[in-house]
Amino acid sequence: MTTAPAADARALFVDLVGSEPTGVWSSPGRVNLIGEHTDYNDGFVFPFAIEHRTYVALGTRTDGRIRVASTFTPEVVEVALDELDDLFPARRDEIAEWARYPLGVAWALAKTTGSDAATGVDLAIASDVPVGAGLSSSAAIEGAVASALDETWGLGLDRVALAKIGRTAENEAVGAPTGIMDQMSSMLGRPDAAIFLDCRSLEADVVDLGFADAGLELLVMDTGVKHSHATGGYGERRASCELGARTLGVAALRDVSVDDLPRAEELLDDVTYRRVRHIVTENARVIETVRTLREKGPEAIGDLLVASHVSMRDDFEISAPELDTAVDAALAAGAIGARMTGGGFGGAAIALVSHDSVDQVRDAVTAAFADAGYAAPHIFTVTPLEGARRDN
Ligand code: ADP
Ligand code: MG
């Protein structure tokens, strides 16, 4: 694991302020093992935190202002803390988009706790979470800033409360309508474990994955593709799920079971039915994955991962030819299981692979992309590791 971004955050701070920071905090990106598009249906997801992290070096200042800098951009943004409430959400356009994440977290913390204990701060940010690759660099920056400010301002919020702060910042200050999965995994991650999250109650169980003992690795196969209908497709899927729930008379598709599907098929048009069937069976697969891990171990979850992919490809129709190629080639080369991960229409697929066949799977996927005339994928392993922490 690299420690370079921690040193980069500290160095950026020293450059900016001319003295050492009081501390450095960090929070990781994440990969979702299974449970796709279930979050906004009040359902279940099963993500884990990874070794890529965002670091924040913090020092206090006495003038009630907050200044943010990141190695991501040469721009430095500074505002008075008591201006934040005017800026968010109404005048958010005046703030550079990247700076809405850290400033939005400060705003959400102040608003939620009603605290006037907030002192001014300088924040210097550095990260090795790739941006926009589906690994949630946004939750990483939110988690790091929320942890740093919570401690500095003496707020004493717990990890779930800090995850909610991150979501509030992202929804209201940034203006991105996302669920809470990313923030929960970034805050609650543990080594070789994933977070079984009930998106309705926000109850979260940390479940051992046992990948290390079983000699398994998780490969991320980033296709580098983002199809143009990604944003519209996401909205359409959400609308189909809402229509399905309304027609079936439930608050959310979480309340529909596999046994209810025949009735759903009678009541819904074909497309809506298939969207509903994905959500209903995917929720069941998340629960089954957790049970299988506990009872049989990680080698036994492969079929569930594959079934999840097939459901996204055929019923939810959010896969892409590149994702199908990655999944098929990985399975043909001996992966235990594989599926696309994230919102779909591009992005990354994952494969669960024995340590000895990592190179074989990587080479097979690379070759399949070349054969199909696709740009070379970016393939790397990720390790489930701990969530937000203070580093020094
Ligand atoms: P992701 O899938 O990586 O979470 P998002 O679009 O949700 O993609 O969030 C990416 C955005 O978060 C970036 O465009 C940037 O505005 C902000 N961001 C993430 N990491 C950093 C960083 N280290 N420094 C500054 N801004 C960051
Ligand atoms: Mg994000």
Side-chain angles (χ1 to χ4, degrees), residues 256-276:
V256 180
S257 75
V258 174
D259 292 341
D260 296 327
L261 284 175
R263 188 175 82 91
E265 189 170 16
E266 277 172 26
L267 292 174
L268 301 171
D269 66 87
D270 174 61
V271 169
T272 309
Y273 172 62
R274 287 186 293 113
R275 305 298 186 248
V276 167

Side-chain angles (χ1 to χ4, degrees), residues 70 72 98 101 125 127 130-132 134 136-138 141 170:
S70 167
F72 174 94
W98 70 272
Y101 292 83
I125 298 162
S127 179
V131 168
S136 201
S137 67
S138 56
I141 190 174
E170 190 149 348

Side-chain angles (χ1 to χ4, degrees), residues 37 225-238 275 316-323 343-347:
H37 287 257
V225 174
K226 197 80 214 162
H227 285 290
S228 54
H229 50 293
T231 314
Y234 181 84
E236 272 171 33
R237 297 306 179 279
R238 280 190 84 134
R275 305 298 186 248
F316 220 57
E317 297 182 278
I318 54 169
S319 191
E322 295 85 350
L323 292 167
F345 309 105

Side-chain angles (χ1 to χ4, degrees), residues 2-19:
T2 173
T3 53
D8 290 349
R10 187 172 274 278
L12 179 64
F13 186 94
V14 172
D15 258 8
L16 184 74
V17 182
S19 58

Side-chain angles (χ1 to χ4, degrees), residues 7-371:
D8 290 349
R10 187 172 274 278
L12 179 64
F13 186 94
V14 172
D15 258 8
L16 184 74
V17 182
S19 58
E20 290 290 327
T22 350
V24 176
W25 288 258
S26 68
S27 200
R30 65 95 189 92
V31 164
N32 192 21
L33 189 59
I34 192 164
E36 224 64 74
H37 287 257
T38 44
D39 56 346
Y40 56 81
N41 289 292
D42 275 4
F44 301 99
V45 293
F46 196 43
F48 59 86
I50 58 177
E51 63 267 52
H52 302 270
R53 305 180 73 89
T54 298
Y55 293 80
V56 176
L58 175 149
T60 55
R61 44 194 283 169
T62 51
D63 60 0
R65 296 178 72 78
I66 178 167
R67 178 165 54 160
V68 290
S70 167
T71 55
F72 174 94
T73 166
E75 191 178 20
V76 176
V77 176
E78 182 179 326
V79 299
L81 280 170
D82 58 17
E83 257 180 81
L84 289 173
D85 221 24
D86 297 329
L87 287 167
F88 296 126
R91 288 164 49 208
R92 73 160 79 98
D93 291 350
E94 294 172 29
I95 303 287
E97 192 181 4
W98 70 272
R100 293 178 209 160
Y101 292 83
L103 295 179
V105 167
W107 167 73
L109 271 172
K111 176 172 85 114
T112 306
T113 60
S115 169
D116 50 15
T119 50
V121 284
D122 289 307
L123 302 173
I125 298 162
S127 179
D128 63 3
V129 187
V131 168
L135 301 181
S136 201
S137 67
S138 56
I141 190 174
E142 290 154 13
V145 173
S147 303
L149 292 178
D150 175 66
E151 189 174 332
T152 304
W153 289 347
L155 301 173
L157 297 182
D158 65 26
R159 284 171 180 262
V160 174
L162 292 178
K164 289 182 185 167
I165 292 292
R167 178 181 56 179
T168 302
E170 190 149 348
N171 291 171
E172 296 178 34
V174 178
T178 56
I180 200 171
M181 164 169 83
D182 300 350
Q183 293 84 2
M184 289 290 274
S185 26
S186 192
M187 293 308 305
L188 298 177
R190 299 262 184 81
D192 209 10
I195 313 301
F196 176 39
L197 175 66
D198 179 335
C199 296
R200 175 172 277 171
S201 67
L202 296 191
E203 212 175 291
D205 260 359
V206 179
V207 178
D208 286 339
L209 290 168
F211 289 175
D213 280 349
L216 300 182
E217 305 266 3
L218 212 286
L219 272 184
V220 174
M221 305 173 286
D222 182 6
T223 66
V225 174
K226 197 80 214 162
H227 285 290
S228 54
H229 50 293
T231 314
Y234 181 84
E236 272 171 33
R237 297 306 179 279
R238 280 190 84 134
S240 289
C241 291
E242 280 159 24
L243 172 63
R246 231 182 6 258
T247 311
L248 296 169
V250 292
L253 292 181
R254 148 70 173 277
D255 302 309
V256 180
S257 75
V258 174
D259 292 341
D260 296 327
L261 284 175
R263 188 175 82 91
E265 189 170 16
E266 277 172 26
L267 292 174
L268 301 171
D269 66 87
D270 174 61
V271 169
T272 309
Y273 172 62
R274 287 186 293 113
R275 305 298 186 248
V276 167
R277 183 166 63 183
H278 165 70
I279 300 300
V280 171
T281 57
E282 186 78 349
N283 274 327
R285 280 186 291 270
V286 176
I287 293 167
E288 191 57 29
T289 299
V290 171
R291 195 202 338 260
T292 302
L293 277 171
R294 286 176 169 149
E295 291 175 1
K296 299 183 185 154
E299 287 104 334
I301 67 169
D303 290 349
L304 289 159
L305 300 180
V306 175
S308 170
H309 184 76
V310 168
S311 178
M312 288 187 280
R313 184 191 64 199
D314 298 346
D315 273 357
F316 220 57
E317 297 182 278
I318 54 169
S319 191
E322 295 85 350
L323 292 167
D324 295 339
T325 298
V327 166
D328 293 345
L331 292 172
I336 291 164
R339 59 185 284 276
M340 55 152 283
T341 182
F345 309 105
I350 55 172
L352 185 60
V353 174
S354 76
H355 184 73
D356 296 337
S357 51
V358 165
D359 288 342
Q360 190 180 317
V361 171
R362 186 199 311 261
D363 293 348
V365 172
T366 304
F369 270 58
D371 283 350

